[in-house]
Amino acid sequence: MIEFVVGLTLGFMMYVFFRVVLTGFYVIPPDQRAVITTFGRADRLSNDFSEPLDDPNLTDEEKKRYTYPKVRVVGPGGPYFKMPWQQVHKVSVATRSVDLVWDPTKKQETIEAVTKDNLTTGVNGQIRYRVSENNMYAFLFGVESPLEHIMGYFVSVLRERIATFSDPKGASLLAKPGDEDDDARTSVDLSEGVSINDLRKNLPLLNSYMEEQCRCTPGRYGVELDAALITSIDPPPEVDRALSAINSTRNQVAADISTAQADAEQQITMSKRAVDIASNNAQAEVAPLRELARTLTQIKSEGGSTALHAYIRDMRVPLLARATSVVQTHEAK
């Protein structure tokens, strides 16, 4: 009996040594954080379980829906000690990237989306994300698969934006265009108007829009979206060939319009110069006549008709000397 008690005591001590002492210490690497749960309950910073996370990116309705408590986060370092009834939940807070096509429920090569003009197109790219230390409860305990929720939310917002995208210049995607934009349309803009072309030209603006729309993800799922990198928007081959033909035709039309405008401007400039030359020639011909009229008027006003006739007679003498024949139609008085 004594041997049984001694053996039981030694077994219990060995169990305590291996179960409590050896497994009770843990270390947190620099790129990880940890949350401790005691009997399945996370260690909270506040006793008020319903205290919400005051995220300014959430609406009032979202703040009521996504109510998570603030939990105590263990930073990097150690070794730390935990009791046997406690559990350590380690989470990597390093920035990671994931393809847009990532979906644990199915395998896909691209994300399909429908544009405003009912064209099905494929979208590829990546998003960079990291776990939010300020809302670790949502990531660990709020949703079962937070990254899957993030991808679903991102793809939903992306498809909604592609389906409603119609701004040819992309100016009104984030802000309303000004009145001066109406005067800036040129022949080059004729290549715009097709949704896929507009989307391809405005990929940076589309990425900025997606980043802005996903600022609420830390409050929803405990995941911060660092950047959206939509790299390609590719329609099916038959649609791509049709778009190439449309683009070629529109570019040719734009080039013809530019050439016609240049020719018209050249003709207008040449016409203006011809009018200026003719006007100058007419003024040059009229100027001596005006000067002669002014001289005759002055002679008549100062010397009378006699002086005027004498002046005219004197003016005739050089003309008569150079004339080869004179035809008299009436007798001189």
Side-chain angles (χ1 to χ4, degrees), residues 35-45 69 71-72 137 141:
V35 174
I36 308 300
T37 57
T38 303
F39 294 111
R41 188 177 189 274
D43 186 10
R44 293 169 174 77
L45 294 177
V71 296
R72 188 181 305 280
Y137 187 94
F141 314 111

Side-chain angles (χ1 to χ4, degrees), residues 20 37 42 50 85 100 173 230 288 299:
V20 177
T37 57
S50 62
W85 51 85
L100 285 179
L173 187 60
I230 300 173
I299 293 173

Side-chain angles (χ1 to χ4, degrees), residues 185 187-194 197-198 242-257:
R185 191 171 182 83
S187 59
V188 179
D189 299 332
L190 290 175
S191 60
E192 301 172 344
V194 180
N197 290 339
D198 298 338
L243 288 175
S244 298
I246 293 174
N247 292 336
S248 299
T249 303
R250 292 182 179 236
N251 291 335
Q252 183 62 40
V253 171
D256 293 342
I257 291 176

Side-chain angles (χ1 to χ4, degrees), residues 28 67 122 137 157 163 180 199 216 228 232-233 238 286 322 328-329:
I28 306 299
T67 302
Y137 187 94
V157 175
E180 61 275 7
L199 290 167
C216 61
S232 63
I233 296 179
E238 59 275 11
V286 170
R322 290 182 293 176
Q328 186 174 2
T329 57

